[in-house]
Amino acid sequence: MRMVLIDFRHPFFRPISRRIIVFALVVIWTGVEFFNGSVGWTVFFAALAAYVGWGFFLSGQPDEPLADAAEGGTPTPPKDPA
């Protein structure tokens, strides 16, 4: 089993808005650490921002379709036995 820092294919990250928000928060926190003069944390969060940006936007891996869409669209309700 491969260990990953962030699972980019997790369903939580499916909407693009959540990806942008997570990336923006990491970049903003990098700026906070930079302006506070903390070099070590700045380097850490800059590397994390690069990793998150690559994984969300530049990795070139297509998003996996939703389970319902893979099965043929919207699920149909069960038929009544009567």
Side-chain angles (χ1 to χ4, degrees), residues 4-5 8-9 12-13 17 24 30 33 35 39 47 50 52 62 64 66 72 77 80-82:
V4 294
L5 181 64
F8 296 116
R9 293 184 176 201
F12 177 80
F13 296 121
S17 60
T30 303
E33 295 297 343
F35 287 115
V39 177
V52 168
E64 293 179 5
L66 292 172
D80 289 332

Side-chain angles (χ1 to χ4, degrees), residues 26 46 54 76 80:
V26 174
W54 174 83
T76 57
D80 289 332

Side-chain angles (χ1 to χ4, degrees), residues 2-74:
R2 192 178 98 183
M3 296 291 294
V4 294
L5 181 64
I6 299 172
D7 183 11
F8 296 116
R9 293 184 176 201
H10 192 276
F12 177 80
F13 296 121
R14 190 173 310 278
I16 190 72
S17 60
R18 290 184 185 164
R19 296 180 195 183
I20 292 171
I21 290 170
V22 169
F23 178 70
L25 288 174
V26 174
V27 169
I28 289 169
W29 199 254
T30 303
V32 168
E33 295 297 343
F34 176 76
F35 287 115
N36 282 333
S38 179
V39 177
W41 285 112
T42 301
V43 171
F44 173 76
F45 281 105
L48 184 62
Y51 178 68
V52 168
W54 174 83
F56 283 156
F57 307 116
L58 301 176
S59 66
Q61 297 178 0
D63 293 338
E64 293 179 5
L66 292 172
D68 294 338
E71 295 174 0
T74 58

